[in-house]
Each structure stands twice: as structure tokens, then as C-alpha cells.
Amino acid sequence: MSERFQQGSLSARYGRPFVKLVLALTLFFLAFPVVMTFVSSFASDWFGVFPTGFVTTANWEDVIVGTGVGADVAVGSSLVYSTGLALGGVVINLIVGVPIAYAVARYDFWGRDWVNVFAILPLAPGIILGVAFLRTYPDLSTSGIALIIGYSLLKAPYMVMAVQSSFQSMDLQQIEESARSLGASWPRTFLTVIVPNAKTGIIAGSIISWTLAAAEFNFSYIVYSRGTPPLAIFLFNNITNASFLNAAAAVSVFFLLIALVTIALQIIGNRGAVRRI
Amino acid sequence: MSEVSLENVTKRFDSTVAVDDVSIDIDDGEVMGIVGPSGCGKTTALRLVAGFETPTDGAIRYDGEDVTHVPPENRNVGLVFQSYALFNNMSVLKNVTFGPKMHGVSKRERRERAEELLELLDIEELADRDPKTLSGGQQQRVGLARALAIEPHILLLDEPMTGLDAKLKQNLRQELGQLLEDLGITTLYVTHDQEQAMSMCDRIAVMNEGRLEQIGTPAEIYEQPANEFVAGFIGTANLLEGTIRDGTLSLGFGEVDAPETTVEEGDVTVLVRPDEIPVGDGPLDVEVTNLFYQGEHVQATAELPDGRELTLRLDRSRKTVGTGDTLSIDIDPSSVHVIQSTE
């Protein structure tokens, strides 16, 4: 056997460890700031390389109680408000986005490609859409409805793409026709067979579009005028008006929220995958 | 009265004619097969019976009643697809009870019915399983149980065994054939596999390019094909051109008595099945050009004295035959079937 076969090529010997190393470094690069932010939110000082003065809850108290140092309002009200707004956007996306994803994946109709393009391309940036909304519907900006509609429009592509990917992995035509031959009407087929079968995509789409909507800054900044600030504005105020450690606590609230929502939706998704009759 | 019938049904998709003036009557309790190559219109015909397509012309009748425009959910048809299309968000038992539930059957009765069918198909232990975790054969049984659970007017099977391995296919073919016979359920079986159709169906409709070429029992289709297409599609066929004059069939390389049933005179195409050509003793010598070992027998291609090719079926005792060897064959007039006049 030649020496080349005995030793293997360079890529065969070092390729896999190299890819692993690159992945680990990338992951560390991305995760390190998040971890450091969370950890520093429990520190009293950060003047050197690493934060010091552990463990204090003062930063969290400032954010949670709303001492006036940062956003001048407690995180709870902003959090609840933004959760509701983002949820509203997700609900609209579910009602509109899932049928669009289904239609594009299942049927061949005139203009299908255009519908697909409009549904999955984030056409207008948040700042542009915000200005357009403010000029067109000046009275809506204080009610929160503009924020809900804007969030749903901005984040719809993520929902449509995630759900469409689920639909494309199924034999939609045969599943639909099986259900209908068994006596189910089209709406019943859609709601009791098609949608539950796309559960994974719907959950993924909901998590992504909710998370991005809850943290949408550009659109919120343009459209929001008064009252309880959306979370993105709250975080911005904390970051700009308070110490970094206060801002770290405010940002950590958001990290925790995302983690909790993701875990909750995963549990809901896994539960009842197969239910007994 | 025919249970289900297609009456002069035509289905066009833009300029394409998928089904062209097809009429098929399926009797009560009969297993009717539709066979043909890909794109021949057999699946469209099944979808027309199910109600997923509406004929451009013609009518679909159940027990004489016109159901052409009745939506699929109101036709009470059991459908089993090649992909089985099981509902992965439900357990096996729930898949089977789905149809009865849609038909308003009480919870107790639909559970009883489902358990009975799962037992009949020997998959009762799978009741609580997730369909995704089942093998192809198990999924096929679940799909069948689900279709039968609504006690359908007609059972429609669309290539239900295509994805299975050969051995499983053979076992399931026997089981399914027996089951359909026992249940006496009217069935339309669509397949491109002529062997499956021959072994499972009471009658077979052969389709090609949207047209119905022939309809008859498997034996009629095999032994008396209506034309060259049917002869070539069902089984292996030797199609030879010849001439009939005064009761004698001349095949170029020799002459035999014309079949008694033949009325044609002049140029004809005749069919001789390989299994009807005796090999080893006969007046005609052919040279073997190719051999294909097929386990139970050997299929040979041989060259006739006039250069035309003939397919022969050799039993395994002749496995020593090699390419280039000469074999003696006979063509018995009783095995010659005149299928089409070439004039």
C-alpha cells in the first residue's frame, strides 16, 4: 500500500477537527457577549477587563422596579406590552401566513410565484414602513394597532418560510385527498390534518417572528409616540440613559424571555404529538 | 346493476387529453384493475371516480346514480395511495377512526370498528403507535384499515405496493387479494405492474394515451389481446408479421395452419407467447443471441432464419445453453393468436 493511502490526505486527517474548531470558535464568539452581559448584570463594577463586585441584584432592581435611572418605567409593563404586541403580530401571521404558505406549497395557480416572492421577501425595512405608517395612519400610532400590524408585516416572511418548509416536506395533495375521501370537508381537513402536521414549522415560525417582533427597534422607534414604551424602546432608553450594568440587566430580561418562550413553545409542540383516542 | 361506472368519460387538461372517452362498468364486489404505462391516464381515471377531478365530458355513476359533481367527501370512497398519506399528527388508531368520526359514527362504535379492522389486518399491536415509526408494509396495512373503516362504496387503490420490496410485495399481494375476496368489496386497483393486476383483479382495463385499449379477465387480456399494445404491455410477446392465405399462415421462415378462429385473410400480425413455444424438438432452428437468467426460468433471445428476433422461455434444465447455440423450436397453430390486421 502506498504511503499516501496509509497516511490519508491532508483534508482527511485534519478536515473534521478543523471544521469543529471553526464551529466552536464561531459559537464562542457569538455566545460570549450574551453570557458576559448576563453575568455582568449581577456585578457592581466593570472598569477592567472583567466585571467585579459580585453578586448584586441592584441592577435588576433598577430595571424591574423602574427607579428612574434608565427608562423611567418598570420593565414589567414594557415587557407585557411588547409581549402582547408581538403576540398580536404572530396571530395575524398565523391567520394569513399559514394559508399563504399552504396555497403556495400545494396549488399551482396564476401569480403563484409573485405571491411567494411577496410573502417571503422582507420588502420594506422597519424604518421605511414606520415612516409610511406614520404618514398614512397618524392616529394609529398611539393605539398599538400600528405596531401590531407593522410587526406582522415585517416578520411575516419568517413565518411563511418556516411553515412552507414544513408543508414542502409532506405529500400535501395525497394527505388532503385522503382526509377528504374519508368524509372531511376542506376546512376541516385543513384545520385538523394539514395544520397539525405542519406543527414543527408553525412553532418555529412563531418563535422566530415573535422574538424578532418583540425586539423590533426601527419600526417601534418611528411609530411609538407616547404611553408604555415597547420593549425595544425600553431597552434603548436603558442603554442610553443608564450605566452599562443597568443596561445589561435590561437586556438579560429579554434573553430570559426568549429562552422561556422558546422552551414553552417546544413543550407545547412536543405534547400531544400522538394523542390517544 | 353495475356498482360503479364511468360512462364515456373524457378529461382534458388544457390541450392534453388525459382520459379519452373511457367507459368502464365495475360490478358489485368486483376487483377491477386499471393498468398502463406512466401517463396513460389511469390515475386520472381513479381521481375521477373519487371526485377529485370532474370529467370534461361523460358521467360517473354509483349504483346508477349520477355522482359526477358530488364532492369527494360525500362519495364514501376508501382511498389508499402509494405514499399511504397517513396522518402523522394522530396515532394509528386515531387514523383509522378518523373516517368514521367524519361520518358521525359514535365514539364507541368507531373504536370497535377500528380495533376489528386492525385485528383483521394483523396490526392490532400498532394501535397506539406513531405512523412515522412504522415500516412500509405496516403503513400500507394502516392505510388500508383507514380506508375500509368508512365501509366505502368503492375501495380505490392507487399503486399501493410500489414502494415495497419484492418479497413483501408478494406476501401483501396474496393477503390483499384474499382480503378483498373475503370482504367482497368493490375495488378499483390502479397499477403499472401487470403481474399484480393479473393476480389480484377479476377484470383488467388496459389504458394507453388516455384511451381504453381492452377490458377483460386476466386470461382474456393475456391470451387474446386486442392489439399490439396490449399484447406487448401484458406479459412478454413475440409479435410477428405474416400472411394468411387459404387457411395457411405464412411467417416468412415457415408455414403453419392458420388458427381456426381466424377470419382475416391477407397480411396480419400474430402473437406467440414465449411460454407457448416448445423448445428442443421442432422443425425450426434458431440461434441464441442473448440469455437472461431469471431464477425460475431463463429467458432467451433467439434469431430466426430470416433475421427476426424471438423471445423464448427455457426451463432451468437448459441452463447449459449458451449464446450462439442452436435450438430447435416448434410453433403450434393453437398458440398463434392473430391480433391485428396490418392492412
Side-chain angles (χ1 to χ4, degrees), chain A residues 148-190:
Chain A
I148 292 177
I149 295 171
Y151 290 165
S152 74
L153 280 172
L154 288 167
K155 311 308 170 194
Y158 302 100
M159 176 69 83
V160 173
M161 277 191 284
V163 179
Q164 211 174 64
S165 145
S166 262
F167 282 146
Q168 281 165 348
S169 68
M170 302 178 222
D171 193 334
L172 278 180
Q173 184 179 341
Q174 296 200 350
I175 289 175
E176 183 191 308
E177 291 181 352
S178 290
R180 291 195 67 198
S181 73
L182 292 167
S185 61
W186 188 88
R188 194 155 188 179
T189 298
F190 184 73

Side-chain angles (χ1 to χ4, degrees), chain A residues 158-229:
Chain A
Y158 302 100
M159 176 69 83
V160 173
M161 277 191 284
V163 179
Q164 211 174 64
S165 145
S166 262
F167 282 146
Q168 281 165 348
S169 68
M170 302 178 222
D171 193 334
L172 278 180
Q173 184 179 341
Q174 296 200 350
I175 289 175
E176 183 191 308
E177 291 181 352
S178 290
R180 291 195 67 198
S181 73
L182 292 167
S185 61
W186 188 88
R188 194 155 188 179
T189 298
F190 184 73
L191 292 173
T192 62
V193 177
I194 301 294
V195 169
N197 265 295
K199 189 181 60 187
T200 315
I202 289 171
I203 288 170
S206 299
I207 292 173
I208 297 166
S209 55
W210 185 88
T211 308
L212 294 176
E216 169 61 32
F217 177 74
N218 291 344
F219 184 79
S220 307
Y221 190 75
I222 299 292
V223 172
Y224 165 72
S225 60
R226 60 181 180 272
T228 309

Side-chain angles (χ1 to χ4, degrees), chain B residues 302-319:
Chain B
E303 194 175 292
L304 288 160
D306 62 3
R308 284 185 287 180
E309 280 199 335
L310 199 65
T311 303
L312 304 172
R313 186 186 168 111
L314 312 179
D315 60 42
R316 283 196 302 165
S317 63
R318 295 190 173 275
K319 62 185 174 188

Side-chain angles (χ1 to χ4, degrees), chain B residues 249-326:
Chain B
L249 170 64
S250 171
L251 291 167
F253 51 82
E255 289 184 343
V256 293
D257 292 338
E260 287 175 9
T261 52
T262 305
V263 290
E264 288 91 344
E265 284 272 318
D267 293 341
V268 293
T269 299
V270 298
L271 162 72
V272 189
R273 296 286 185 192
D275 52 299
E276 292 182 315
I277 301 175
V279 178
D281 187 25
L284 190 62
D285 287 341
V286 293
E287 186 184 326
V288 175
T289 54
N290 257 316
L291 288 161
F292 305 97
Y293 183 73
Q294 302 196 328
E296 290 170 359
H297 67 274
V298 178
Q299 186 167 303
T301 308
E303 194 175 292
L304 288 160
D306 62 3
R308 284 185 287 180
E309 280 199 335
L310 199 65
T311 303
L312 304 172
R313 186 186 168 111
L314 312 179
D315 60 42
R316 283 196 302 165
S317 63
R318 295 190 173 275
K319 62 185 174 188
T320 53
V321 171
T323 307
D325 287 358
T326 299

Side-chain angles (χ1 to χ4, degrees), chain B residues 12 51 56 62 72 79 86 100 126 133 156 177 183 207 223 231 245 278 286 300 321:
Chain B
R12 289 190 196 91
T56 312
Y62 289 4
L79 194 53
L86 299 181
L126 305 179
T133 65
L156 305 175
L183 294 174
M207 286 186 71
E223 291 164 17
R245 290 274 183 273
V286 293
V321 171

